[in-house]
């Protein structure tokens, strides 16, 4: 039986990549201190900054919101209802229940009222993966909402598995522009609110453990449209490497940040306000407004009342 290395009581968690055994109390303490140290290491934000946490109802985003709440940060939640049938219903309920139990503010944006639900967009944009449109819209409305409501920073629950899989994908394709932008902090400017990822040093399992031990109820289902995504295959490859050599994912990601990222020079991107909505874009009309121009007329023409 393993013993907690902090108090000697029975350990409930063993982290092979850290060679660390911890009881429930000291795992939560370790997790919170690691979130705090990550925020400080990358100078993400201060307790006085008004932060908006993008929540999906899953273990990562709700664990992040809970940790920021416990650490005394000024953080509200922001949930985008994608309209994906039962999946979205469950995730919305999970976010609302968490906010109510903690006495926190949760903002909800209904995507269908802004443009259309993801299933509807998928029907129109059949040659484009649903994840592509979904990611584009979430980034757009997170930034737009945060600016309109005066939030200093947007925090997302991207974890080490997400970041290492993205890094592997970008390295295999040598996508220099994406590699140059892959950092836990994207600074504000040119119409963008500062974006941060405080959970980049935590695996999905570590976030799930924190959620479970903290009594956080979250949805375990993955988005039905994520099936077949290439990122899942990269995660499987890295998981096999991690099994053989614990700590591989963390070394891979952190060594990139320390050694390669500082010398990457991305080309300067010239941004300007979108002619229609005013959000920053490289073109005259931004990608979201162009998406609306394609999707909305087709949905209106196919509706029973038209």
């Amino acid at each position: 039986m393993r013993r907690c290395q902090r108090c000697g009581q029975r350990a409930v968690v063993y982290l092979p990549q850290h060679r660390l055994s911890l009881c429930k109390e000291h795992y939560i303490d370790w997790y919170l201190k690691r979130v705090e140290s990550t925020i400080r290491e990358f100078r993400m934000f201060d307790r006085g900054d008004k932060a908006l946490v993008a929540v999906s109802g899953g273990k990562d985003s709700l664990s992040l919101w809970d940790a920021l709440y416990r650490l005394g940060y000024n953080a509200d939640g922001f949930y985008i209802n994608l309209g994906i049938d039962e999946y979205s219903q469950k995730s919305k309920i999970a976010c609302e229940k968490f906010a109510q139990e903690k006495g926190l503010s949760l903002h909800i944006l209904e995507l269908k009222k802004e443009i259309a639900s993801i299933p509807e967009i998928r029907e129109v944009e059949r040659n484009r993966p649903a994840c592509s449109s979904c990611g584009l819209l979430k980034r757009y409305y997170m930034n737009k909402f945060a600016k309109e409501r005066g939030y200093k920073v947007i925090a997302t629950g991207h974890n080490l598995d997400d970041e290492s899989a993205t890094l592997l994908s970008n390295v295999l394709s040598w996508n220099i522009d994406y590699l140059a932008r892959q950092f836990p902090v994207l600074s504000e400017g040119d119409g963008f609110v500062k974006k941060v990822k405080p959970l980049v040093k935590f695996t999905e399992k570590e976030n799930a453990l924190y959620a479970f031990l903290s009594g956080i109820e979250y949805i375990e289902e993955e988005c039905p449209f994520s099936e077949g995504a290439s990122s899942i295959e990269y995660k499987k490859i890295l998981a096999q490497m991690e099994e053989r050599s614990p700590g591989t994912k963390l070394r891979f990601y952190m060594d990139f940040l320390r050694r390669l990222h500082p010398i990457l020079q991305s080309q300067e991107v010239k941004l300007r306000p979108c002619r229609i909505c005013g959000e920053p874009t490289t073109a005259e009309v931004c990608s979201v407004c162009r998406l609306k121009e394609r999707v909305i007329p087709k949905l209106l023409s196919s509706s029973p009342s038209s």
Side-chain angles (χ1 to χ4, degrees):
M1 182 178 67
R2 294 185 184 275
R3 296 286 180 179
C4 175
Q5 292 172 228
R6 302 287 171 82
C7 67
Q9 297 297 316
R10 182 177 181 273
V12 298
V13 174
Y14 176 63
L15 307 174
Q17 66 273 36
H18 303 292
R19 298 180 181 177
L20 191 60
S21 300
L22 296 169
C23 65
K24 173 183 175 179
E25 177 185 350
H26 285 109
Y27 178 76
I28 292 174
D29 181 65
W30 171 85
Y31 186 96
L32 293 173
K33 287 180 178 177
R34 194 166 173 81
V35 171
E36 181 71 75
S37 66
T38 303
I39 292 172
R40 290 183 179 179
E41 178 183 353
F42 295 103
R43 300 177 182 178
M44 293 182 173
F45 55 100
D46 299 320
R47 280 177 172 75
D49 293 333
K50 191 178 178 184
L52 187 68
V53 183
V55 290
S56 64
K59 59 189 178 304
D60 303 303
S61 61
L62 290 184
S63 290
L64 171 60
W65 197 10
D66 184 80
L68 294 180
Y69 163 70
R70 292 200 197 195
L71 290 168
Y73 285 94
N74 181 14
D76 296 336
F78 181 57
Y79 173 77
I80 299 178
N81 187 350
L82 304 173
I84 308 177
D85 304 323
E86 188 177 354
Y87 169 78
S88 288
Q89 293 175 19
K90 287 183 177 179
S91 60
K92 182 181 179 181
I93 290 171
C95 292
E96 290 176 326
K97 184 176 182 180
F98 177 88
Q100 185 176 15
E101 289 177 349
K102 303 292 182 181
L104 297 172
S105 297
L106 173 67
H107 304 285
I108 298 176
L109 182 141
E110 300 289 341
L111 191 61
K112 189 175 180 65
K113 294 182 180 179
E114 302 294 332
I115 172 171
S117 68
I118 291 300
E120 288 173 329
I121 293 172
R122 183 170 180 258
E123 278 299 306
V124 175
E125 299 276 288
R126 294 190 178 184
N127 295 325
R128 182 175 186 173
C131 292
S132 177
S133 298
C134 184
L136 169 69
L137 291 166
K138 286 193 289 188
R139 290 189 296 271
Y140 176 89
Y141 285 110
M142 279 192 295
N143 189 70
K144 189 172 186 293
F145 184 91
K147 279 197 305 182
E148 292 173 348
R149 300 299 181 94
Y151 285 94
K152 182 78 173 179
V153 63
I154 299 169
T156 62
H158 290 86
N159 58 52
L160 180 60
D161 297 275
D162 298 324
E163 294 300 298
S164 58
T166 299
L167 177 57
L168 179 59
S169 173
N170 288 332
V171 167
L172 290 175
S173 61
W174 288 117
N175 196 325
I176 301 300
D177 288 340
Y178 283 123
L179 285 170
R181 284 178 54 81
Q182 188 172 355
F183 198 71
V185 177
L186 292 178
S187 301
E188 62 182 328
D190 294 321
F192 288 107
V193 176
K194 187 178 187 180
K195 297 180 181 65
V196 300
K197 303 173 183 178
L199 300 187
V200 291
K201 291 187 178 182
F202 296 92
T203 63
E204 290 181 3
K205 182 179 179 181
E206 288 166 350
N207 289 333
L209 281 168
Y210 175 81
F212 173 74
L213 295 176
S214 299
I216 298 171
E217 295 183 33
Y218 62 90
I219 62 166
E220 298 186 36
E221 297 94 329
E222 296 290 339
C223 174
F225 291 132
S226 67
E227 187 176 351
S230 58
S231 60
I232 295 176
E233 294 304 314
Y234 291 130
K235 285 183 180 182
K236 289 179 180 179
I237 292 170
L238 288 164
Q240 292 174 352
M241 297 173 67
E242 183 75 18
E243 183 70 24
R244 296 176 183 174
S245 180
T248 295
K249 286 184 285 192
L250 187 59
R251 287 193 302 272
F252 177 51
Y253 179 63
M254 293 306 298
D255 283 350
F256 161 74
L257 295 182
R258 292 167 183 151
R259 300 181 183 186
L260 185 57
H261 190 271
I263 64 175
L264 287 175
Q265 297 294 323
S266 61
Q267 295 181 352
E268 185 178 352
V269 178
K270 294 183 180 180
L271 297 172
R272 55 180 171 174
C274 170
R275 175 172 56 80
I276 297 176
C277 70
E279 286 297 290
T281 179
T282 56
E284 183 180 355
V285 178
C286 75
S287 298
V288 170
C289 286
R290 293 201 302 270
L291 181 64
K292 286 183 176 181
E293 289 174 347
R294 295 194 303 270
V295 170
I296 294 177
K298 290 184 179 179
L299 290 177
L300 290 174
S301 65
S302 62
S303 62
S305 59
S306 62

